[in-house]
Amino acid sequence: MMIVVMKSDATVKQTSTVIKKIQELGFEPHLSKGEEKTIVGMVGSGKKVEPEIFMAIPGVDSVVPILKPFKLASREFQKRPTIIPFNGFTIGGDEVIVMAGPCSVESREQTLEAADAVVKAGAKVLRGGAYKPRTSPYSFQGLGEEGLKILKEASDRTGLAIVTEVMSPDKVELVAKYADILQIGARNMQNYSLLEAVGKSTRPVLLKRGMMSTIEELLMAAEYILANGNPNVMLCERGIRTFEKYTRNTLDISAVPIIKQLSHLPVIIDPSHASGKRELVDPMSKCAIAAGADGLIIEVHPHPEEALSDGAQSLHPEEFDKLMIGLKTIAAAVNKKI
Amino acid sequence: MMIVVMKSDATVKQTSTVIKKIQELGFEPHLSKGEEKTIVGMVGSGKKVEPEIFMAIPGVDSVVPILKPFKLASREFQKRPTIIPFNGFTIGGDEVIVMAGPCSVESREQTLEAADAVVKAGAKVLRGGAYKPRTSPYSFQGLGEEGLKILKEASDRTGLAIVTEVMSPDKVELVAKYADILQIGARNMQNYSLLEAVGKSTRPVLLKRGMMSTIEELLMAAEYILANGNPNVMLCERGIRTFEKYTRNTLDISAVPIIKQLSHLPVIIDPSHASGKRELVDPMSKCAIAAGADGLIIEVHPHPEEALSDGAQSLHPEEFDKLMIGLKTIAAAVNKKI
Amino acid sequence: MMIVVMKSDATVKQTSTVIKKIQELGFEPHLSKGEEKTIVGMVGSGKKVEPEIFMAIPGVDSVVPILKPFKLASREFQKRPTIIPFNGFTIGGDEVIVMAGPCSVESREQTLEAADAVVKAGAKVLRGGAYKPRTSPYSFQGLGEEGLKILKEASDRTGLAIVTEVMSPDKVELVAKYADILQIGARNMQNYSLLEAVGKSTRPVLLKRGMMSTIEELLMAAEYILANGNPNVMLCERGIRTFEKYTRNTLDISAVPIIKQLSHLPVIIDPSHASGKRELVDPMSKCAIAAGADGLIIEVHPHPEEALSDGAQSLHPEEFDKLMIGLKTIAAAVNKKI
Amino acid sequence: MMIVVMKSDATVKQTSTVIKKIQELGFEPHLSKGEEKTIVGMVGSGKKVEPEIFMAIPGVDSVVPILKPFKLASREFQKRPTIIPFNGFTIGGDEVIVMAGPCSVESREQTLEAADAVVKAGAKVLRGGAYKPRTSPYSFQGLGEEGLKILKEASDRTGLAIVTEVMSPDKVELVAKYADILQIGARNMQNYSLLEAVGKSTRPVLLKRGMMSTIEELLMAAEYILANGNPNVMLCERGIRTFEKYTRNTLDISAVPIIKQLSHLPVIIDPSHASGKRELVDPMSKCAIAAGADGLIIEVHPHPEEALSDGAQSLHPEEFDKLMIGLKTIAAAVNKKI
């Protein structure tokens, strides 16, 4: 279903071309002639049509798609929320799940220390990067498989599930061997080869919104994963790029209720990357829960001032402890537990 | 205090020019020669210097100001929070103040009906526009002074304080005769003649952030008001312009803790304009309180479907009632009352 | 003319409400039922209707306006380009008009020196600010009427026309006494009281695009001036705010052909403010002419390193000389003179 | 080289921690105490240091890096422009190179027809996608290797070089078998696995700027390719994402002179994707040449109204012919040939 708007000086012949095209495509044309403009509606069902097809016809001013471009990800397709089950907890239900841990897996000691701290404070999932997408080729790029093994050890020791990033299609199988949740980073949100690869995995996926992506594009990226057979996708808002300079990114908190309206998929907030500043993690985490988020992913480092990456936005274990206590009160105020 | 960074091929003579300039201005130059770059620090106290003065000197690559450009508005200037007292309540203290009412004053009946509804639900201030900044010259422009009189009547009847917009310097006195709080709209945030005029008024000012203004620019606009003698300024975040299309604007919720860190002025959130959608007002209001906002300004209309402006984002009185109940729980969770 | 899109779970009754509303407003409803969505077109002529009216009706998903919101400014209203005549030249015709001069009028000497230099190089209009909108209340705010008198003297001496900014409605008459063109600054693009005031003046207006404004909003601002009776409006693109940090703003050069398509008004480019860097003024000016601009407004200062404002982006007179020679060749390549 | 700015209430002990850290890292600390702030410069040479390391130290307000984060891509590293030689032409020299062809390779006939048309008009390189990154998993995804073979045939027949996109590391070798230039799409600009893979190829690379990436990030992405051993990188500006709605993206034309200043790599402009509208391709192409671009990449389709993708922005062959004639005049005006 689409509306083709003709230019005000479009000829009758140009409008006819549009009508004919609509019929050729197996749809029904609905003509409305106003005083200044003529529009043609395309109604009915047929094969998928790209709006661009009409844009290229002379006399066409614009094309307005009426239907949303995503399907499997839409609330219209699936009314009930997607609830992703793990050993002993779920994501997308009544509980707010907290994922926490260091930006990068730097060493066995650092990771185990972080894991011990976050499990004690109430986290359910350990985060930590073994493969790191860095803007500079000269920055620390992660420990690779060695890092995955350390994460596994931390998981075995604490019972925490593991979420970690995968950066290329050929590494999906390897990462899935160690991780419970595959993370797609913001910079790879539209890396379609990678989306297809995780779509074929049986592991749940945490898909981060690109810092330059609309909510619709995020849902389209999720659609790639769903269409490849993997129904367990969580969407993660981690800040978008704006002109504001005091924060690294701007947390788009309204994405939470909007995604809940448009889609059945759970929504996770990353307050650490969204703000880039340790002191904002507490208020932004509270915000996220008040807005209805299903989970949080938070950077915690045993010694932030020695972190190889993201130290400025990582919490100390004691700060994380305190944060978790405050979050419980907020969660209760919106009828959730944590 | 400023850092002047020289280009990597700057000559010794060019660096000397910078050093001389710094001395002329009454400051002390601190030279640091790195392997690739030379920088000159400007230290000490003297008259205000614009970074641009150095940018125009040949050989200069960039200038980094170290001090923030606002003073009276800064937390460094005044550690304690500004608390603005009214009859029977304050803004900036332990209580979250809710301002509510229609976008425009359309008629006596509509305004009184709205005032009755919002005071019953717990609002402390009535909002309503008598002068309306509209993008189209053909849209309803407000009732003018007639509207101000209606607001005054509603205030007398309900005890609500009045906040209403003033759009030009020559109307400040008139609006101040009827209103308790003068609102500066987002589009006028950098209308300096107007800022000076309200700076000379004795009425508190609600200053809205421009939709594409940085937090620093908002604080600089507040500085204009403070520097003209009016200490009672509240800052209002009402959504910024981004590439996201599902919302009219993107609520920059992190502005709340950041402004609290940088400044002593109270922060108000406008969830109605920030989202443009009625169904987002509830989660965004909760968010605002969780993030630490001092108040909310919310559009409520007795019959939103008949509103002359902003009907889509206005709450029905019953929706507002329900919202206020939910907000009380969130406020309690962050140790505030409402 | 408008399209109202119903939610996919909208009831028949809700759709009827929309249909009835359309009829009440004096328009004809056109119903199209698709498999997934129902839409209702509003066709015919009646009084101006705001899309918001429908947004507030339950069951409505979105409203798509088909007609552009500006009228007098539109190419459809006036096919032929607006050509603004002055003594001896026109803006909007075959000639590219160059306006040049200092950011601020700082002194008689500086202004006369600048005027002599730019007239010699081929400029037709002298720019220079007597009232300066500054982000800081502590920065130089301009010489006021004294500055206007200096500009007038420079004009009498050189024959250059004068363009200078007016910042508040009560100063329009005063500025119009000295200036040939009234400039509305970017920060005042939506200062509607000011737009109305210059709309009632007989002087041509140079309207700068807000750094946060869409082209449609710029045309709506022009509509305010036109609707108040002043047909001589030039639109000025001076860079928009984006996430890019190397330039002060991002020159939206595609605004030139787009405005030419949508409107009959002349377009001026300000390469100095758009880039904020002297060395970009030359390539951006060439660009502007290649894209079809009717004029340029360029900052030239006899001694940029001593300028009280915008020194970093101001050209030396010799640089301006050289620039003008290069521009003549480009202008010829697109069949214009300069 | 870096400047660490302390908070105004930082203690002497906190400043000492910073000084000690700088010494530990093998650099020299330069202390400057102002009235309100203390700053510490880090001077000398040692191992690469991330600004974040200091941000995590208590009492630190901000860290200002003085050196640019890219090296091999910088003009400081290589003064002379990179000129990439092909059979019979070069990119980065006196000639403006035009790359043209359809968005997607749809069939043998369409591609050969397009190739014949663009070579006749003066293009030197044929563009065409065999692997297509599409926002929807349900859209046409390209012909894959079959498409590459068609491109090869078109090249053999016309003598045109081939530029085509590669979307994943495991396809680099295959695409390089057929293509003369490997294209990295905007959505993959920070797909580091892919950047590394093309960095190891011997084929020149056309790297497109992400639609919300800064120029610095583009240069950092180029640095990944250069650091992996491939010196032949062209940078392509194809429009960035802003709030403006009339164009699909906003062409950041100032990127041309800025990249030329910061780097030695050639710059290509894509006016088709930047605007999304056929009628803007002509003025934007002229603009690009006037601004100093080394080449253009333009969508041309034998029958745009039947294109499977991007029909609205594709030129008809006759339009392309006419465009090329106009471009020759502009090129001559800036002393280039085409």
Side-chain angles (χ1 to χ4, degrees), chain D residues 282-316:
Chain D
D282 183 293
M284 291 305 100
S285 297
K286 285 175 176 159
C287 234
I289 295 177
D294 297 295
L296 292 165
I297 180 162
I298 296 174
E299 290 191 355
V300 178
H301 193 288
H303 310 283
E305 58 290 353
E306 291 167 15
L308 294 183
S309 55
D310 282 355
Q313 69 196 37
S314 297
L315 298 186
H316 284 274

mmCIF file of all heavy atoms in Angstrom, chain D residues 282-316:
data_model
loop_
_atom_site.group_PDB
_atom_site.id
_atom_site.type_symbol
_atom_site.label_atom_id
_atom_site.label_comp_id
_atom_site.label_asym_id
_atom_site.label_seq_id
_atom_site.Cartn_x
_atom_site.Cartn_y
_atom_site.Cartn_z
ATOM 1 N N ASP D 282 23.262 17.119 -11.578
ATOM 2 C CA ASP D 282 23.999 18.085 -12.388
ATOM 3 C C ASP D 282 24.607 19.209 -11.532
ATOM 4 O O ASP D 282 25.830 19.385 -11.517
ATOM 5 C CB ASP D 282 23.092 18.620 -13.510
ATOM 6 C CG ASP D 282 23.804 19.569 -14.435
ATOM 7 O OD1 ASP D 282 24.169 20.673 -13.981
ATOM 8 O OD2 ASP D 282 24.030 19.224 -15.607
ATOM 9 N N PRO D 283 23.814 19.974 -10.766
ATOM 10 C CA PRO D 283 24.458 21.034 -9.974
ATOM 11 C C PRO D 283 25.456 20.502 -8.946
ATOM 12 O O PRO D 283 26.495 21.137 -8.708
ATOM 13 C CB PRO D 283 23.284 21.752 -9.286
ATOM 14 C CG PRO D 283 22.097 20.852 -9.432
ATOM 15 C CD PRO D 283 22.339 20.036 -10.664
ATOM 16 N N MET D 284 25.176 19.354 -8.350
ATOM 17 C CA MET D 284 26.105 18.842 -7.338
ATOM 18 C C MET D 284 27.411 18.359 -7.973
ATOM 19 O O MET D 284 28.478 18.441 -7.359
ATOM 20 C CB MET D 284 25.450 17.724 -6.519
ATOM 21 C CG MET D 284 24.316 18.199 -5.609
ATOM 22 S SD MET D 284 24.799 19.550 -4.468
ATOM 23 C CE MET D 284 24.151 20.993 -5.338
ATOM 24 N N SER D 285 27.350 17.854 -9.192
ATOM 25 C CA SER D 285 28.577 17.434 -9.876
ATOM 26 C C SER D 285 29.447 18.643 -10.207
ATOM 27 O O SER D 285 30.680 18.611 -10.035
ATOM 28 C CB SER D 285 28.236 16.696 -11.181
ATOM 29 O OG SER D 285 27.523 15.521 -10.910
ATOM 30 N N LYS D 286 28.803 19.704 -10.646
ATOM 31 C CA LYS D 286 29.562 20.934 -10.967
ATOM 32 C C LYS D 286 30.244 21.463 -9.703
ATOM 33 O O LYS D 286 31.411 21.847 -9.709
ATOM 34 C CB LYS D 286 28.622 21.991 -11.548
ATOM 35 C CG LYS D 286 28.237 21.675 -12.987
ATOM 36 C CD LYS D 286 27.215 22.661 -13.528
ATOM 37 C CE LYS D 286 26.930 22.365 -15.001
ATOM 38 N NZ LYS D 286 25.628 22.936 -15.417
ATOM 39 N N CYS D 287 29.471 21.523 -8.663
ATOM 40 C CA CYS D 287 29.947 21.889 -7.340
ATOM 41 C C CYS D 287 31.198 21.122 -6.921
ATOM 42 O O CYS D 287 32.153 21.693 -6.408
ATOM 43 C CB CYS D 287 28.868 21.411 -6.379
ATOM 44 S SG CYS D 287 28.323 22.666 -5.354
ATOM 45 N N ALA D 288 31.131 19.817 -7.099
ATOM 46 C CA ALA D 288 32.212 18.945 -6.656
ATOM 47 C C ALA D 288 33.509 19.309 -7.366
ATOM 48 O O ALA D 288 34.576 19.399 -6.757
ATOM 49 C CB ALA D 288 31.844 17.490 -6.946
ATOM 50 N N ILE D 289 33.403 19.552 -8.670
ATOM 51 C CA ILE D 289 34.601 19.899 -9.436
ATOM 52 C C ILE D 289 35.107 21.272 -9.020
ATOM 53 O O ILE D 289 36.306 21.477 -8.816
ATOM 54 C CB ILE D 289 34.312 19.821 -10.949
ATOM 55 C CG1 ILE D 289 34.009 18.356 -11.320
ATOM 56 C CG2 ILE D 289 35.483 20.370 -11.755
ATOM 57 C CD1 ILE D 289 33.636 18.140 -12.759
ATOM 58 N N ALA D 290 34.186 22.227 -8.839
ATOM 59 C CA ALA D 290 34.586 23.571 -8.405
ATOM 60 C C ALA D 290 35.285 23.518 -7.042
ATOM 61 O O ALA D 290 36.170 24.322 -6.753
ATOM 62 C CB ALA D 290 33.373 24.490 -8.349
ATOM 63 N N ALA D 291 34.894 22.564 -6.202
ATOM 64 C CA ALA D 291 35.485 22.455 -4.864
ATOM 65 C C ALA D 291 36.817 21.717 -4.870
ATOM 66 O O ALA D 291 37.504 21.682 -3.860
ATOM 67 C CB ALA D 291 34.508 21.752 -3.921
ATOM 68 N N GLY D 292 37.164 21.097 -6.016
ATOM 69 C CA GLY D 292 38.462 20.444 -6.108
ATOM 70 C C GLY D 292 38.463 18.925 -6.065
ATOM 71 O O GLY D 292 39.516 18.312 -5.865
ATOM 72 N N ALA D 293 37.306 18.292 -6.271
ATOM 73 C CA ALA D 293 37.254 16.826 -6.231
ATOM 74 C C ALA D 293 38.080 16.203 -7.349
ATOM 75 O O ALA D 293 38.211 16.775 -8.427
ATOM 76 C CB ALA D 293 35.811 16.349 -6.323
ATOM 77 N N ASP D 294 38.609 15.019 -7.084
ATOM 78 C CA ASP D 294 39.410 14.295 -8.073
ATOM 79 C C ASP D 294 38.568 13.398 -8.970
ATOM 80 O O ASP D 294 39.057 12.877 -9.968
ATOM 81 C CB ASP D 294 40.450 13.425 -7.355
ATOM 82 C CG ASP D 294 41.426 14.250 -6.562
ATOM 83 O OD1 ASP D 294 42.175 15.009 -7.206
ATOM 84 O OD2 ASP D 294 41.425 14.162 -5.320
ATOM 85 N N GLY D 295 37.323 13.183 -8.574
ATOM 86 C CA GLY D 295 36.494 12.310 -9.396
ATOM 87 C C GLY D 295 35.061 12.335 -8.934
ATOM 88 O O GLY D 295 34.725 12.905 -7.888
ATOM 89 N N LEU D 296 34.211 11.707 -9.753
ATOM 90 C CA LEU D 296 32.772 11.627 -9.471
ATOM 91 C C LEU D 296 32.333 10.195 -9.685
ATOM 92 O O LEU D 296 32.886 9.491 -10.538
ATOM 93 C CB LEU D 296 32.006 12.509 -10.457
ATOM 94 C CG LEU D 296 32.206 14.023 -10.330
ATOM 95 C CD1 LEU D 296 31.695 14.717 -11.588
ATOM 96 C CD2 LEU D 296 31.468 14.531 -9.097
ATOM 97 N N ILE D 297 31.363 9.750 -8.932
ATOM 98 C CA ILE D 297 30.774 8.443 -9.184
ATOM 99 C C ILE D 297 29.263 8.658 -9.290
ATOM 100 O O ILE D 297 28.630 9.133 -8.350
ATOM 101 C CB ILE D 297 31.201 7.398 -8.119
ATOM 102 C CG1 ILE D 297 30.589 6.039 -8.400
ATOM 103 C CG2 ILE D 297 30.952 7.836 -6.694
ATOM 104 C CD1 ILE D 297 31.284 4.871 -7.671
ATOM 105 N N ILE D 298 28.731 8.363 -10.465
ATOM 106 C CA ILE D 298 27.378 8.792 -10.836
ATOM 107 C C ILE D 298 26.542 7.605 -11.308
ATOM 108 O O ILE D 298 27.017 6.768 -12.075
ATOM 109 C CB ILE D 298 27.474 9.843 -11.971
ATOM 110 C CG1 ILE D 298 28.190 11.095 -11.441
ATOM 111 C CG2 ILE D 298 26.101 10.198 -12.526
ATOM 112 C CD1 ILE D 298 28.466 12.147 -12.502
ATOM 113 N N GLU D 299 25.299 7.548 -10.846
ATOM 114 C CA GLU D 299 24.427 6.463 -11.299
ATOM 115 C C GLU D 299 23.758 6.792 -12.633
ATOM 116 O O GLU D 299 23.072 7.806 -12.770
ATOM 117 C CB GLU D 299 23.380 6.152 -10.226
ATOM 118 C CG GLU D 299 24.045 5.488 -9.015
ATOM 119 C CD GLU D 299 23.060 4.915 -8.014
ATOM 120 O OE1 GLU D 299 21.845 5.104 -8.198
ATOM 121 O OE2 GLU D 299 23.519 4.267 -7.061
ATOM 122 N N VAL D 300 23.971 5.909 -13.595
ATOM 123 C CA VAL D 300 23.367 6.045 -14.922
ATOM 124 C C VAL D 300 22.712 4.712 -15.244
ATOM 125 O O VAL D 300 23.320 3.651 -15.062
ATOM 126 C CB VAL D 300 24.446 6.353 -15.994
ATOM 127 C CG1 VAL D 300 23.837 6.437 -17.385
ATOM 128 C CG2 VAL D 300 25.192 7.637 -15.655
ATOM 129 N N HIS D 301 21.476 4.746 -15.698
ATOM 130 C CA HIS D 301 20.757 3.509 -16.015
ATOM 131 C C HIS D 301 20.108 3.689 -17.383
ATOM 132 O O HIS D 301 19.547 4.739 -17.660
ATOM 133 C CB HIS D 301 19.680 3.263 -14.946
ATOM 134 C CG HIS D 301 19.088 1.876 -14.998
ATOM 135 N ND1 HIS D 301 18.231 1.467 -16.000
ATOM 136 C CD2 HIS D 301 19.232 0.812 -14.168
ATOM 137 C CE1 HIS D 301 17.874 0.196 -15.773
ATOM 138 N NE2 HIS D 301 18.476 -0.222 -14.676
ATOM 139 N N PRO D 302 20.183 2.670 -18.247
ATOM 140 C CA PRO D 302 19.574 2.852 -19.569
ATOM 141 C C PRO D 302 18.071 3.140 -19.469
ATOM 142 O O PRO D 302 17.535 3.865 -20.308
ATOM 143 C CB PRO D 302 19.855 1.534 -20.298
ATOM 144 C CG PRO D 302 20.422 0.592 -19.295
ATOM 145 C CD PRO D 302 20.894 1.389 -18.132
ATOM 146 N N HIS D 303 17.394 2.604 -18.451
ATOM 147 C CA HIS D 303 15.949 2.830 -18.296
ATOM 148 C C HIS D 303 15.635 3.011 -16.816
ATOM 149 O O HIS D 303 15.147 2.089 -16.167
ATOM 150 C CB HIS D 303 15.153 1.647 -18.853
ATOM 151 C CG HIS D 303 15.583 1.257 -20.228
ATOM 152 N ND1 HIS D 303 15.226 1.970 -21.352
ATOM 153 C CD2 HIS D 303 16.394 0.251 -20.666
ATOM 154 C CE1 HIS D 303 15.788 1.412 -22.423
ATOM 155 N NE2 HIS D 303 16.506 0.363 -22.040
ATOM 156 N N PRO D 304 15.911 4.204 -16.264
ATOM 157 C CA PRO D 304 15.779 4.408 -14.818
ATOM 158 C C PRO D 304 14.424 3.973 -14.275
ATOM 159 O O PRO D 304 14.342 3.491 -13.143
ATOM 160 C CB PRO D 304 15.956 5.925 -14.654
ATOM 161 C CG PRO D 304 16.736 6.355 -15.823
ATOM 162 C CD PRO D 304 16.328 5.441 -16.948
ATOM 163 N N GLU D 305 13.367 4.136 -15.065
ATOM 164 C CA GLU D 305 12.035 3.835 -14.544
ATOM 165 C C GLU D 305 11.828 2.327 -14.387
ATOM 166 O O GLU D 305 10.851 1.891 -13.796
ATOM 167 C CB GLU D 305 10.930 4.485 -15.395
ATOM 168 C CG GLU D 305 10.887 4.126 -16.853
ATOM 169 C CD GLU D 305 12.056 4.707 -17.671
ATOM 170 O OE1 GLU D 305 12.836 5.512 -17.131
ATOM 171 O OE2 GLU D 305 12.192 4.306 -18.837
ATOM 172 N N GLU D 306 12.785 1.518 -14.855
ATOM 173 C CA GLU D 306 12.674 0.077 -14.653
ATOM 174 C C GLU D 306 13.766 -0.454 -13.711
ATOM 175 O O GLU D 306 13.888 -1.667 -13.502
ATOM 176 C CB GLU D 306 12.789 -0.662 -15.998
ATOM 177 C CG GLU D 306 11.584 -0.420 -16.882
ATOM 178 C CD GLU D 306 11.832 -0.889 -18.315
ATOM 179 O OE1 GLU D 306 12.812 -1.641 -18.548
ATOM 180 O OE2 GLU D 306 11.057 -0.473 -19.198
ATOM 181 N N ALA D 307 14.544 0.450 -13.149
ATOM 182 C CA ALA D 307 15.667 0.024 -12.304
ATOM 183 C C ALA D 307 15.168 -0.728 -11.075
ATOM 184 O O ALA D 307 14.129 -0.398 -10.517
ATOM 185 C CB ALA D 307 16.481 1.242 -11.865
ATOM 186 N N LEU D 308 15.903 -1.757 -10.673
ATOM 187 C CA LEU D 308 15.533 -2.509 -9.474
ATOM 188 C C LEU D 308 15.936 -1.763 -8.206
ATOM 189 O O LEU D 308 15.506 -2.105 -7.116
ATOM 190 C CB LEU D 308 16.185 -3.891 -9.494
ATOM 191 C CG LEU D 308 15.693 -4.831 -10.596
ATOM 192 C CD1 LEU D 308 16.362 -6.192 -10.479
ATOM 193 C CD2 LEU D 308 14.180 -4.993 -10.544
ATOM 194 N N SER D 309 16.794 -0.770 -8.331
ATOM 195 C CA SER D 309 17.172 0.039 -7.167
ATOM 196 C C SER D 309 17.638 1.399 -7.645
ATOM 197 O O SER D 309 18.220 1.523 -8.713
ATOM 198 C CB SER D 309 18.273 -0.657 -6.347
ATOM 199 O OG SER D 309 19.387 -0.957 -7.146
ATOM 200 N N ASP D 310 17.346 2.424 -6.847
ATOM 201 C CA ASP D 310 17.859 3.778 -7.075
ATOM 202 C C ASP D 310 17.443 4.413 -8.396
ATOM 203 O O ASP D 310 18.141 5.310 -8.904
ATOM 204 C CB ASP D 310 19.394 3.799 -6.988
ATOM 205 C CG ASP D 310 19.866 3.766 -5.531
ATOM 206 O OD1 ASP D 310 19.014 3.827 -4.626
ATOM 207 O OD2 ASP D 310 21.076 3.669 -5.323
ATOM 208 N N GLY D 311 16.310 4.009 -8.950
ATOM 209 C CA GLY D 311 15.862 4.595 -10.207
ATOM 210 C C GLY D 311 15.691 6.104 -10.129
ATOM 211 O O GLY D 311 16.020 6.833 -11.061
ATOM 212 N N ALA D 312 15.202 6.577 -8.984
ATOM 213 C CA ALA D 312 14.891 8.004 -8.854
ATOM 214 C C ALA D 312 16.118 8.886 -8.950
ATOM 215 O O ALA D 312 16.023 10.063 -9.260
ATOM 216 C CB ALA D 312 14.190 8.261 -7.520
ATOM 217 N N GLN D 313 17.275 8.339 -8.668
ATOM 218 C CA GLN D 313 18.476 9.169 -8.684
ATOM 219 C C GLN D 313 19.391 8.830 -9.857
ATOM 220 O O GLN D 313 20.454 9.416 -9.990
ATOM 221 C CB GLN D 313 19.229 9.053 -7.352
ATOM 222 C CG GLN D 313 19.873 7.702 -7.125
ATOM 223 C CD GLN D 313 20.259 7.487 -5.661
ATOM 224 O OE1 GLN D 313 19.552 7.912 -4.775
ATOM 225 N NE2 GLN D 313 21.357 6.820 -5.417
ATOM 226 N N SER D 314 18.958 7.880 -10.711
ATOM 227 C CA SER D 314 19.786 7.495 -11.856
ATOM 228 C C SER D 314 19.498 8.391 -13.054
ATOM 229 O O SER D 314 18.347 8.718 -13.329
ATOM 230 C CB SER D 314 19.490 6.041 -12.252
ATOM 231 O OG SER D 314 19.829 5.166 -11.205
ATOM 232 N N LEU D 315 20.570 8.751 -13.764
ATOM 233 C CA LEU D 315 20.408 9.557 -14.970
ATOM 234 C C LEU D 315 20.104 8.683 -16.167
ATOM 235 O O LEU D 315 20.570 7.549 -16.261
ATOM 236 C CB LEU D 315 21.694 10.332 -15.263
ATOM 237 C CG LEU D 315 22.181 11.356 -14.240
ATOM 238 C CD1 LEU D 315 23.391 12.113 -14.813
ATOM 239 C CD2 LEU D 315 21.077 12.347 -13.896
ATOM 240 N N HIS D 316 19.329 9.201 -17.113
ATOM 241 C CA HIS D 316 19.213 8.619 -18.447
ATOM 242 C C HIS D 316 20.535 8.844 -19.173
ATOM 243 O O HIS D 316 21.203 9.862 -18.920
ATOM 244 C CB HIS D 316 18.133 9.368 -19.249
ATOM 245 C CG HIS D 316 16.746 9.027 -18.865
ATOM 246 N ND1 HIS D 316 16.067 7.966 -19.397
ATOM 247 C CD2 HIS D 316 15.895 9.614 -17.991
ATOM 248 C CE1 HIS D 316 14.848 7.924 -18.874
ATOM 249 N NE2 HIS D 316 14.720 8.910 -18.008
#
